[in-house]
Amino acid sequence: MSQAAQPAVIAIVGPTASGKSALALRVAQAVDAEIVSTDSMQAYRGMNIGTAKPTKAEQAQVPHHFIDTLDPSDDYTAGQFERDALKFLEDYFTSHDVAILVGGSGLYLKAVSDGFDDLPATPPKVRAKFETMRNEQGLSALVDLLKKQDPSYAANVDLENPQRVQRALEAIETSGKRFSDMRAAQAKARPFHVHRILLHPERQALYERINARVAAMIEAGLEQEVRGLYPLKSLNALQTVGYQEFFDHFDGKCTRQQAIDKIKQHTRNYAKRQFTWFKKQDGYKKFTLEKEDDVLRHLRDQMNV
């Protein structure tokens, strides 16, 4: 492809196991671009198998950014990602025309493409309050409180993601405003054009892919990876599918097979929530798994190259 008239970002999104990473590699090679991960979990070091992180071989084919940049103990928000990713892209576009954004974390991608309002910093006392509440009463208590304080945001956020739920409550407590009111009402101007691609497989086909992926993760050593992270199990970064289920198994709360079955179930549930999220986003061109060539043709037409 020839040089684009304006810097461009190709955003490739979709539910987990929908084939985003493979498509991103193919598109990146076709347009001579590098990949920016918008997956909030793939940024954490040591969480490789459970987050379906691109392999070393895949990363060698095309440079990937924002992978293995954080320790599990690090607190990191979509707002911080917005600042870091925009700074990266500013430098990147001095020598490149196109970047690929790929990942299943809708908030991270929205942060780059559309932006958020500046959210208040959380005082340590406020953070400690909600961490204590979660540890003593469980995530469900935080979810119930969020539904009461900001039903609009609760209807859209992943309520099984402790980081998202707690961050919203912290912002509400700190500012006195609803979290949904603090988020940008309209997209911020960006110095690049965003081409939005949504992978939207048929649901039963996706569920079969999820089951196969989980089986492959187990074969690749997911249980051993999680066991190595067991001492860190209370950290926010590890309150996620694929890790919590094995932590419960190690604690004697379920059998190994039950843990594996729960990973499959919870991943399917997560994919369903992702479907709901992306359905509400505007401007995405929808493709099925079998239409990779159509994606490339569409991008060539849209980018006039």
Side-chain angles (χ1 to χ4, degrees):
M1 287 188 173
S2 62
Q3 284 195 336
Q6 178 189 21
V9 162
I10 299 173
I12 300 175
V13 303
T16 186
S18 61
K20 298 184 298 295
S21 296
L23 177 61
L25 277 174
R26 185 175 177 192
V27 173
Q29 291 169 327
V31 302
D32 191 24
E34 298 181 6
I35 293 173
V36 175
S37 170
T38 58
D39 188 302
S40 61
M41 292 292 103
Q42 291 183 357
Y44 291 106
R45 287 181 280 268
M47 298 172 63
N48 301 323
I49 300 171
T51 64
K53 198 173 291 182
T55 65
K56 295 299 181 185
E58 289 169 333
Q59 294 185 52
Q61 292 179 50
V62 173
H64 287 62
H65 304 277
F66 294 92
I67 288 178
D68 289 334
T69 56
L70 302 171
D71 289 323
S73 58
D74 292 334
D75 286 323
Y76 195 70
T77 67
Q80 289 173 291
F81 180 75
E82 176 186 2
R83 292 190 293 272
D84 293 344
L86 289 178
K87 178 60 172 67
F88 168 81
L89 289 172
E90 180 182 2
D91 296 338
Y92 174 86
F93 283 134
T94 63
S95 56
H96 298 77
D97 296 315
V98 184
I100 312 295
L101 267 61
V102 61
S105 301
L107 280 177
Y108 271 45
L109 186 130
K110 189 175 179 66
V112 178
S113 63
D114 302 318
F116 292 126
D117 286 340
D118 293 329
L119 300 177
T122 302
K125 181 181 290 186
V126 172
R127 175 155 296 166
K129 169 185 174 180
F130 290 110
E131 286 181 350
T132 299
M133 183 177 178
R134 192 184 78 204
N135 291 334
E136 294 181 352
Q137 302 177 46
L139 175 61
S140 60
L142 298 185
V143 169
D144 290 343
L145 183 60
L146 182 60
K147 288 180 177 178
K148 184 181 299 184
Q149 294 187 346
D150 192 345
S152 177
Y153 184 67
N156 289 282
V157 71
D158 178 1
L159 293 176
E160 294 188 23
N161 186 317
Q163 292 172 290
R164 300 277 185 266
V165 174
Q166 184 171 326
R167 178 68 182 114
L169 289 171
E170 290 171 353
I172 293 169
E173 178 93 356
T174 303
S175 68
K177 301 176 183 178
R178 295 194 311 173
F179 192 68
S180 54
D181 293 336
M182 286 182 272
R183 300 165 71 196
Q186 62 183 43
K188 295 180 179 179
R190 296 300 194 212
F192 49 78
H193 185 75
V194 182
H195 301 275
R196 305 169 193 260
I197 302 297
L198 170 61
L199 281 182
H200 194 276
E202 189 274 326
R203 185 161 296 186
Q204 187 55 43
L206 178 66
Y207 288 173
E208 291 173 3
R209 287 172 64 94
I210 287 171
N211 290 341
R213 172 187 273 189
V214 172
M217 286 178 170
I218 300 302
E219 182 69 22
L222 176 61
E223 183 176 359
Q224 291 76 15
E225 176 174 285
V226 180
R227 192 176 293 279
L229 294 165
Y230 183 80
L232 308 177
K233 68 174 185 174
S234 63
L235 295 176
N236 279 341
L238 289 160
Q239 312 301 308
T240 189
V241 176
Y243 296 87
Q244 282 294 297
E245 295 83 0
F246 266 122
F247 290 151
D248 285 346
H249 167 54
F250 300 154
D251 288 336
K253 297 178 181 178
C254 63
T255 67
R256 181 178 185 274
Q257 187 57 51
Q258 286 172 333
I260 294 171
D261 290 343
K262 286 182 179 180
I263 292 172
K264 293 178 181 178
Q265 176 191 336
H266 294 163
T267 305
R268 293 192 298 268
N269 294 343
Y270 178 50
K272 185 177 180 180
R273 294 193 298 273
Q274 288 176 305
F275 267 124
T276 301
W277 165 271
F278 291 122
K279 184 178 180 181
K280 296 178 181 178
Q281 307 309 306
D282 295 325
Y284 280 93
K285 179 69 174 178
K286 192 182 300 185
F287 295 89
T288 61
L289 294 178
E290 299 78 17
K291 301 295 184 179
E292 285 191 4
D293 290 338
D294 288 352
V295 173
L296 290 173
R297 280 192 289 270
H298 167 76
L299 290 171
R300 289 190 176 100
D301 291 341
Q302 290 295 306
M303 298 169 72
N304 298 316
V305 291

PDB file of all heavy atoms in Angstrom, residues 246-261:
ATOM      1  N   PHE A 246      -8.828 -21.250  38.774  1.00  0.00           N
ATOM      2  CA  PHE A 246      -7.786 -22.140  39.278  1.00  0.00           C
ATOM      3  C   PHE A 246      -7.393 -21.774  40.709  1.00  0.00           C
ATOM      4  O   PHE A 246      -7.040 -22.661  41.499  1.00  0.00           O
ATOM      5  CB  PHE A 246      -6.558 -22.123  38.364  1.00  0.00           C
ATOM      6  CG  PHE A 246      -6.581 -23.216  37.328  1.00  0.00           C
ATOM      7  CD1 PHE A 246      -6.516 -22.911  35.977  1.00  0.00           C
ATOM      8  CD2 PHE A 246      -6.676 -24.554  37.700  1.00  0.00           C
ATOM      9  CE1 PHE A 246      -6.546 -23.918  35.021  1.00  0.00           C
ATOM     10  CE2 PHE A 246      -6.705 -25.570  36.751  1.00  0.00           C
ATOM     11  CZ  PHE A 246      -6.635 -25.251  35.402  1.00  0.00           C
ATOM     12  N   PHE A 247      -7.462 -20.503  41.071  1.00  0.00           N
ATOM     13  CA  PHE A 247      -7.221 -20.129  42.467  1.00  0.00           C
ATOM     14  C   PHE A 247      -8.234 -20.842  43.371  1.00  0.00           C
ATOM     15  O   PHE A 247      -7.880 -21.353  44.442  1.00  0.00           O
ATOM     16  CB  PHE A 247      -7.334 -18.614  42.660  1.00  0.00           C
ATOM     17  CG  PHE A 247      -6.212 -17.814  42.034  1.00  0.00           C
ATOM     18  CD1 PHE A 247      -6.439 -16.526  41.588  1.00  0.00           C
ATOM     19  CD2 PHE A 247      -4.939 -18.346  41.909  1.00  0.00           C
ATOM     20  CE1 PHE A 247      -5.411 -15.780  41.020  1.00  0.00           C
ATOM     21  CE2 PHE A 247      -3.904 -17.612  41.335  1.00  0.00           C
ATOM     22  CZ  PHE A 247      -4.143 -16.318  40.887  1.00  0.00           C
ATOM     23  N   ASP A 248      -9.499 -20.859  42.937  1.00  0.00           N
ATOM     24  CA  ASP A 248     -10.527 -21.567  43.713  1.00  0.00           C
ATOM     25  C   ASP A 248     -10.206 -23.054  43.810  1.00  0.00           C
ATOM     26  O   ASP A 248     -10.408 -23.681  44.871  1.00  0.00           O
ATOM     27  CB  ASP A 248     -11.908 -21.370  43.068  1.00  0.00           C
ATOM     28  CG  ASP A 248     -12.482 -19.983  43.302  1.00  0.00           C
ATOM     29  OD1 ASP A 248     -11.956 -19.262  44.178  1.00  0.00           O
ATOM     30  OD2 ASP A 248     -13.456 -19.623  42.611  1.00  0.00           O
ATOM     31  N   HIS A 249      -9.723 -23.629  42.720  1.00  0.00           N
ATOM     32  CA  HIS A 249      -9.339 -25.045  42.755  1.00  0.00           C
ATOM     33  C   HIS A 249      -8.198 -25.268  43.743  1.00  0.00           C
ATOM     34  O   HIS A 249      -8.235 -26.205  44.552  1.00  0.00           O
ATOM     35  CB  HIS A 249      -8.923 -25.511  41.361  1.00  0.00           C
ATOM     36  CG  HIS A 249      -8.238 -26.837  41.325  1.00  0.00           C
ATOM     37  ND1 HIS A 249      -8.788 -27.986  41.881  1.00  0.00           N
ATOM     38  CD2 HIS A 249      -7.008 -27.205  40.822  1.00  0.00           C
ATOM     39  CE1 HIS A 249      -7.955 -29.008  41.718  1.00  0.00           C
ATOM     40  NE2 HIS A 249      -6.867 -28.556  41.086  1.00  0.00           N
ATOM     41  N   PHE A 250      -7.181 -24.416  43.716  1.00  0.00           N
ATOM     42  CA  PHE A 250      -6.052 -24.557  44.642  1.00  0.00           C
ATOM     43  C   PHE A 250      -6.499 -24.386  46.091  1.00  0.00           C
ATOM     44  O   PHE A 250      -5.903 -24.966  47.002  1.00  0.00           O
ATOM     45  CB  PHE A 250      -4.968 -23.527  44.315  1.00  0.00           C
ATOM     46  CG  PHE A 250      -4.398 -23.647  42.920  1.00  0.00           C
ATOM     47  CD1 PHE A 250      -3.844 -22.553  42.275  1.00  0.00           C
ATOM     48  CD2 PHE A 250      -4.418 -24.857  42.232  1.00  0.00           C
ATOM     49  CE1 PHE A 250      -3.322 -22.654  41.001  1.00  0.00           C
ATOM     50  CE2 PHE A 250      -3.902 -24.983  40.951  1.00  0.00           C
ATOM     51  CZ  PHE A 250      -3.359 -23.870  40.332  1.00  0.00           C
ATOM     52  N   ASP A 251      -7.565 -23.599  46.302  1.00  0.00           N
ATOM     53  CA  ASP A 251      -8.089 -23.384  47.655  1.00  0.00           C
ATOM     54  C   ASP A 251      -9.068 -24.476  48.081  1.00  0.00           C
ATOM     55  O   ASP A 251      -9.655 -24.400  49.165  1.00  0.00           O
ATOM     56  CB  ASP A 251      -8.786 -22.016  47.736  1.00  0.00           C
ATOM     57  CG  ASP A 251      -7.801 -20.855  47.709  1.00  0.00           C
ATOM     58  OD1 ASP A 251      -6.625 -21.058  48.068  1.00  0.00           O
ATOM     59  OD2 ASP A 251      -8.213 -19.740  47.340  1.00  0.00           O
ATOM     60  N   GLY A 252      -9.267 -25.478  47.219  1.00  0.00           N
ATOM     61  CA  GLY A 252     -10.148 -26.591  47.560  1.00  0.00           C
ATOM     62  C   GLY A 252     -11.618 -26.311  47.372  1.00  0.00           C
ATOM     63  O   GLY A 252     -12.467 -27.069  47.861  1.00  0.00           O
ATOM     64  N   LYS A 253     -11.968 -25.251  46.640  1.00  0.00           N
ATOM     65  CA  LYS A 253     -13.368 -24.885  46.462  1.00  0.00           C
ATOM     66  C   LYS A 253     -14.021 -25.616  45.291  1.00  0.00           C
ATOM     67  O   LYS A 253     -15.251 -25.613  45.167  1.00  0.00           O
ATOM     68  CB  LYS A 253     -13.491 -23.369  46.257  1.00  0.00           C
ATOM     69  CG  LYS A 253     -13.021 -22.545  47.447  1.00  0.00           C
ATOM     70  CD  LYS A 253     -13.134 -21.054  47.151  1.00  0.00           C
ATOM     71  CE  LYS A 253     -12.647 -20.223  48.331  1.00  0.00           C
ATOM     72  NZ  LYS A 253     -12.703 -18.762  48.036  1.00  0.00           N
ATOM     73  N   CYS A 254     -13.218 -26.201  44.415  1.00  0.00           N
ATOM     74  CA  CYS A 254     -13.768 -26.942  43.284  1.00  0.00           C
ATOM     75  C   CYS A 254     -12.703 -27.907  42.773  1.00  0.00           C
ATOM     76  O   CYS A 254     -11.512 -27.757  43.089  1.00  0.00           O
ATOM     77  CB  CYS A 254     -14.229 -26.009  42.157  1.00  0.00           C
ATOM     78  SG  CYS A 254     -12.904 -25.032  41.414  1.00  0.00           S
ATOM     79  N   THR A 255     -13.133 -28.876  41.997  1.00  0.00           N
ATOM     80  CA  THR A 255     -12.174 -29.817  41.420  1.00  0.00           C
ATOM     81  C   THR A 255     -11.466 -29.164  40.228  1.00  0.00           C
ATOM     82  O   THR A 255     -11.880 -28.115  39.733  1.00  0.00           O
ATOM     83  CB  THR A 255     -12.884 -31.091  40.939  1.00  0.00           C
ATOM     84  OG1 THR A 255     -13.739 -30.752  39.828  1.00  0.00           O
ATOM     85  CG2 THR A 255     -13.715 -31.714  42.057  1.00  0.00           C
ATOM     86  N   ARG A 256     -10.427 -29.819  39.758  1.00  0.00           N
ATOM     87  CA  ARG A 256      -9.700 -29.311  38.588  1.00  0.00           C
ATOM     88  C   ARG A 256     -10.627 -29.236  37.379  1.00  0.00           C
ATOM     89  O   ARG A 256     -10.620 -28.231  36.650  1.00  0.00           O
ATOM     90  CB  ARG A 256      -8.501 -30.205  38.286  1.00  0.00           C
ATOM     91  CG  ARG A 256      -7.658 -29.757  37.098  1.00  0.00           C
ATOM     92  CD  ARG A 256      -6.466 -30.686  36.907  1.00  0.00           C
ATOM     93  NE  ARG A 256      -5.576 -30.223  35.838  1.00  0.00           N
ATOM     94  CZ  ARG A 256      -5.741 -30.511  34.565  1.00  0.00           C
ATOM     95  NH1 ARG A 256      -6.775 -31.288  34.197  1.00  0.00           N
ATOM     96  NH2 ARG A 256      -4.890 -30.061  33.652  1.00  0.00           N
ATOM     97  N   GLN A 257     -11.410 -30.282  37.135  1.00  0.00           N
ATOM     98  CA  GLN A 257     -12.304 -30.280  35.986  1.00  0.00           C
ATOM     99  C   GLN A 257     -13.377 -29.207  36.121  1.00  0.00           C
ATOM    100  O   GLN A 257     -13.751 -28.557  35.132  1.00  0.00           O
ATOM    101  CB  GLN A 257     -12.960 -31.655  35.796  1.00  0.00           C
ATOM    102  CG  GLN A 257     -13.772 -31.769  34.507  1.00  0.00           C
ATOM    103  CD  GLN A 257     -12.941 -31.474  33.268  1.00  0.00           C
ATOM    104  OE1 GLN A 257     -11.865 -32.023  33.076  1.00  0.00           O
ATOM    105  NE2 GLN A 257     -13.434 -30.578  32.410  1.00  0.00           N
ATOM    106  N   GLN A 258     -13.873 -29.012  37.347  1.00  0.00           N
ATOM    107  CA  GLN A 258     -14.855 -27.945  37.551  1.00  0.00           C
ATOM    108  C   GLN A 258     -14.249 -26.580  37.245  1.00  0.00           C
ATOM    109  O   GLN A 258     -14.916 -25.708  36.677  1.00  0.00           O
ATOM    110  CB  GLN A 258     -15.381 -27.996  38.990  1.00  0.00           C
ATOM    111  CG  GLN A 258     -16.339 -29.140  39.259  1.00  0.00           C
ATOM    112  CD  GLN A 258     -16.688 -29.280  40.734  1.00  0.00           C
ATOM    113  OE1 GLN A 258     -15.910 -28.900  41.619  1.00  0.00           O
ATOM    114  NE2 GLN A 258     -17.869 -29.829  41.013  1.00  0.00           N
ATOM    115  N   ALA A 259     -12.990 -26.391  37.626  1.00  0.00           N
ATOM    116  CA  ALA A 259     -12.312 -25.123  37.331  1.00  0.00           C
ATOM    117  C   ALA A 259     -12.222 -24.900  35.828  1.00  0.00           C
ATOM    118  O   ALA A 259     -12.486 -23.799  35.328  1.00  0.00           O
ATOM    119  CB  ALA A 259     -10.919 -25.115  37.959  1.00  0.00           C
ATOM    120  N   ILE A 260     -11.862 -25.954  35.097  1.00  0.00           N
ATOM    121  CA  ILE A 260     -11.744 -25.837  33.640  1.00  0.00           C
ATOM    122  C   ILE A 260     -13.109 -25.540  33.014  1.00  0.00           C
ATOM    123  O   ILE A 260     -13.234 -24.682  32.132  1.00  0.00           O
ATOM    124  CB  ILE A 260     -11.146 -27.125  33.050  1.00  0.00           C
ATOM    125  CG1 ILE A 260      -9.693 -27.287  33.521  1.00  0.00           C
ATOM    126  CG2 ILE A 260     -11.223 -27.117  31.528  1.00  0.00           C
ATOM    127  CD1 ILE A 260      -9.070 -28.620  33.178  1.00  0.00           C
ATOM    128  N   ASP A 261     -14.133 -26.235  33.490  1.00  0.00           N
ATOM    129  CA  ASP A 261     -15.487 -26.001  32.966  1.00  0.00           C
ATOM    130  C   ASP A 261     -15.938 -24.569  33.256  1.00  0.00           C
ATOM    131  O   ASP A 261     -16.598 -23.933  32.421  1.00  0.00           O
ATOM    132  CB  ASP A 261     -16.475 -26.996  33.577  1.00  0.00           C
ATOM    133  CG  ASP A 261     -16.258 -28.425  33.080  1.00  0.00           C
ATOM    134  OD1 ASP A 261     -15.579 -28.595  32.042  1.00  0.00           O
ATOM    135  OD2 ASP A 261     -16.748 -29.363  33.749  1.00  0.00           O
TER     136      ASP A 261
END
